[in-house]
Amino acid sequence: MEASTVRVGWIGLGTMGVEMARNLQQHRARTGQTPITVYNRTHAKCALVAEHGAHVAVSPASIAQTCTVVFLSLRDDQAVKDIVTQLLDSIALETRDEPLLIADLTTVHPSTTQWVLHKISQANTKVRFCQTPVWGAPPAARSANLVYVTSGNNSDSALLAEISVPAFAHTTIACDDPVRAAKFKIMGNFMIAGILETLGEAMAVAHESGISRKLYLEFVKAMFPVAPILGYAHKMVDEDGEASKTQVGFNIHGGMKDVGYAIDVAKSAGLDLPVAELAHKHLQWVLDNGDENWDWSSLAFALRKQ
């Protein structure tokens, strides 16, 4: 399959998905490539990509029947299982000569990836599956500045890299095994959670000891001028330390899910993640005392004197 002529489908237009799909469609339109076809449970959101030339599908089944590569960008593990089942059921009802490549960008538990691979192997269809998560917040998705992980065989990995860069990502990292790619994404998110925990602790002590959060931010800006660290530090300081409530890139629900998955991955390897357990405890505090829709950097609230 050639990246320029492959028929691309996209299922899931949430906060991240709509930005990636729009960028992908705009890139393919600019470069004379075939348009993508999009589907979303809330149908109105499809218009945000269709206005740039994308086709709109009426169901996941119609995506499976017309596309050769399908990207999934979904809310959670159950949504991935539901959509994969619908895609496989649809393909089972037709005579298909072309293979279908499913690339799942959703952050899922490794057991979900294993479930999908088993489901596909039992279906006996011409379907291949790659776990292909991304790193980056919504602003990075908007500016096509994501890090994209590919998996699968060499040809599938190369095809996905060619489709995604520079359309919605600035670089790719190849990870041959889909289950390992799921673990890779989770441990990357754990590192970000660890940074949030450290930042939150440092900001709390800075505030209570008279240094002030704003002054501590100057240290972060001088020593760690990288987007994720600096961005989260600003959320802990801006709006008098309340910006985590309003500047939401990744919410408490998602943060708790991913940190919990990291703890599971560590346990399966016979290890503990004390920092992850602390971060999970503080996220739980925000869930109990705040709002699950706040940004996950709001775990810093749990570290302040109440």
Side-chain angles (χ1 to χ4, degrees):
M1 290 188 282
E2 295 291 333
S4 61
T5 56
V6 69
R7 300 189 303 280
V8 177
W10 193 286
I11 299 177
L13 298 173
T15 304
M16 293 287 289
V18 70
E19 302 292 355
M20 290 186 281
R22 182 161 45 201
N23 283 338
L24 178 57
Q25 172 55 35
Q26 288 177 325
H27 172 76
R28 293 181 74 84
R30 282 194 307 268
T31 54
Q33 301 182 50
T34 55
I36 70 172
T37 302
V38 297
Y39 171 80
N40 191 65
R41 187 178 57 180
T42 305
H43 198 68
K45 293 196 75 173
C46 294
L48 299 173
V49 188
E51 66 184 6
H52 299 285
H55 301 310
V56 177
V58 296
S59 67
S62 62
I63 290 261
Q65 291 160 5
T66 58
C67 296
T68 47
V69 175
V70 178
F71 290 92
L72 309 182
S73 180
L74 303 170
R75 175 179 170 81
D76 55 27
D77 298 55
Q78 189 56 53
V80 171
K81 291 179 179 180
D82 291 345
I83 290 295
V84 167
T85 299
Q86 290 180 56
L87 294 175
L88 293 177
D89 287 348
S90 171
I91 291 171
L93 297 175
E94 65 169 320
T95 302
R96 186 183 182 93
D97 295 325
E98 294 178 298
L100 174 66
L101 176 61
I102 301 174
D104 181 25
L105 298 96
T106 316
T107 302
V108 297
H109 196 282
S111 62
T112 296
T113 306
Q114 292 171 328
W115 182 93
V116 170
L117 292 169
H118 177 73
K119 182 85 171 174
I120 289 172
S121 70
Q122 294 298 302
N124 193 30
T125 61
K126 294 181 178 179
V127 176
R128 299 192 301 278
F129 180 80
C130 301
Q131 196 68 54
T132 61
V134 296
W135 280 299
R142 199 169 301 120
S143 60
N145 201 32
L146 298 168
V147 176
Y148 182 52
V149 178
T150 62
S151 68
N153 62 45
N154 289 341
S155 61
D156 286 346
S157 186
L159 175 64
L160 293 172
E162 189 176 353
I163 292 172
S164 62
V165 177
F168 63 81
H170 73 84
T171 192
T172 62
I173 302 174
C175 183
D176 56 351
D177 179 68
V179 176
R180 182 160 39 181
K183 294 178 182 178
F184 186 30
K185 163 62 172 174
I186 289 164
M187 296 315 297
N189 280 15
F190 157 67
M191 185 171 178
I192 297 169
I195 290 169
L196 291 179
E197 178 66 28
T198 304
L199 270 174
E201 292 179 19
M203 290 287 187
V205 174
H207 179 73
E208 296 299 334
S209 65
I211 299 170
S212 86
R213 288 189 290 265
K214 284 188 176 180
L215 183 57
Y216 197 80
L217 177 61
E218 295 304 312
F219 159 74
V220 176
K221 288 161 67 175
M223 293 297 294
F224 306 105
V226 242
I229 298 176
L230 195 53
Y232 285 125
H234 268 289
K235 289 183 182 184
M236 293 180 185
V237 174
D238 293 351
E239 300 175 26
D240 197 26
E242 301 288 301
S244 294
K245 296 179 181 179
T246 57
Q247 298 175 21
V248 182
F250 191 54
N251 66 21
I252 294 294
H253 171 80
M256 289 192 70
K257 172 178 75 73
D258 287 4
V259 172
Y261 286 177
I263 293 170
D264 284 350
V265 169
K267 285 181 178 177
S268 71
L271 298 169
D272 293 323
L273 285 180
V275 173
E277 290 167 5
L278 269 177
H280 196 274
K281 173 186 172 183
H282 294 143
L283 289 165
Q284 183 66 57
W285 186 94
V286 177
L287 186 64
D288 294 339
N289 297 277
D291 190 322
E292 69 170 6
N293 294 312
W294 291 354
D295 189 82
W296 69 329
S297 60
S298 64
L299 64 76
F301 292 127
L303 297 156
R304 300 177 185 176
K305 283 187 177 179
Q306 302 306 313

